[in-house]
Amino acid sequence: FFKFDWYFSKKWKASFETFSLSTSRSALLVEDIEWGDVVFNAGTNAKAGVGLDLYRIFFGRVFSRGFKHEFGAGLGVHAFNIKVFIEGDVLVNGGGFEFERRAVSTVIPLPNIGAWYYFTPSTKLALIARVDWFGITIGDYSANLWDLAPGIKYQVFKNIGLGFDYRYFLFKTSVDTNDWDGNFRMNFSGPLISINANF
């Protein structure tokens, strides 16, 4: 996970954020799985997995700022690189088994609207909240997004702080192309501990 905020003027800021995750599982197949031109046969071991690389670019304007608070909103884009694979033994013409791996990936850009709010009860403590949302259908792609991030920041030194955030993320998409026809849903939530540097 990496995030960078830049206030390039008194009222405007740009943000860049990226993170990656992946998961996989092995299992004994109870039925045949057909993927393209190969069949992963029932009774054999196979491993399947999914990966996601997320890139978020956001431009926002500060609409209200005081000694202890800041509120802003803007527009951005989430770019998703989704990767799915399955690997294992397949039955070949000669009657034996051969190891095969099949994988697909696709990049889906999704625009979004977003807002943030900061409240600083003291010079060292900040309470923050951020939300991004959008739903859209473009051609062969349909997607929906929720990205919520409340958190607490504590300024340990002049330019270094610690953060504790809670992330909730929901992404759903449907893809209908020659390379991949299917649905994808990812939902995760949990804590995020970070080290912050500010200049």
Side-chain angles (χ1 to χ4, degrees), residues 48-91:
V50 61
L52 171 68
D53 299 323
L54 170 63
Y55 305 93
R56 174 183 179 263
I57 299 174
F58 185 82
F59 291 92
R61 184 183 189 278
V62 176
F63 290 98
S64 175
R65 177 185 284 148
F67 181 69
K68 292 187 175 183
H69 80 278
E70 178 181 289
F71 170 75
L75 301 173
V77 62
H78 283 63
F80 302 89
N81 182 18
I82 303 169
K83 298 164 285 186
V84 182
F85 77 89
I86 185 172
E87 62 185 27
D89 293 328
V90 298
L91 186 65

